[in-house]
Amino acid sequence: MLIAYNAARQLLPEANAWYRDLDDAAPNEAQREWRVRAALRALAWPDVARAIDAMPESQAQESAWRYWKGRALEVLSRKDDATRLFGSLAAEPSFYGFLA
């Protein structure tokens, strides 16, 4: 886990593949966030959705992660789910609310 985490923080392209080889249970908040970022950099949308789903509910409900989950769902042709997520996010006065 630490190798994938440090690789993600160094923006190494292999980080997402290394995270994928591990189980989805990252031990702390920072490692879970870098897991999503590594998947985003790789444009690995299924991995983005899976990593956000593996977050605790309190973390996954943060506006940034809800936005990126919506983008992943949109790319994965789950447009109705993405629209619902973006709709609730758009009602919030935040950076990601405005993006939604």
Side-chain angles (χ1 to χ4, degrees):
M1 175 63 66
L2 287 178
I3 292 172
Y5 171 64
N6 286 323
R9 291 181 53 217
Q10 294 174 27
L11 309 180
L12 297 178
E14 302 87 5
N16 186 58
W18 292 341
Y19 266 117
R20 194 181 308 127
D21 290 341
L22 303 170
D23 62 11
D24 285 330
N28 65 45
E29 183 177 339
Q31 290 176 357
R32 289 187 293 267
E33 291 175 354
W34 279 101
R35 165 76 178 100
V36 177
R37 291 179 185 119
L40 285 168
R41 273 191 307 285
L43 298 176
W45 296 106
D47 294 339
V48 170
R50 189 173 22 262
I52 294 171
D53 286 342
M55 290 177 164
E57 187 68 21
S58 61
Q59 186 177 18
Q61 287 303 309
E62 293 175 16
S63 60
W65 307 126
R66 288 174 30 228
Y67 174 80
W68 289 114
K69 172 89 183 269
R71 289 284 296 127
L73 293 173
E74 188 175 51
V75 170
L76 297 171
S77 298
R78 293 179 51 194
K79 300 214 185 294
D80 290 341
D81 294 332
T83 300
R84 276 193 295 281
L85 196 53
F86 287 144
S88 68
L89 191 55
E92 299 175 12
S94 69
F95 175 76
Y96 288 101
F98 291 120
L99 282 180

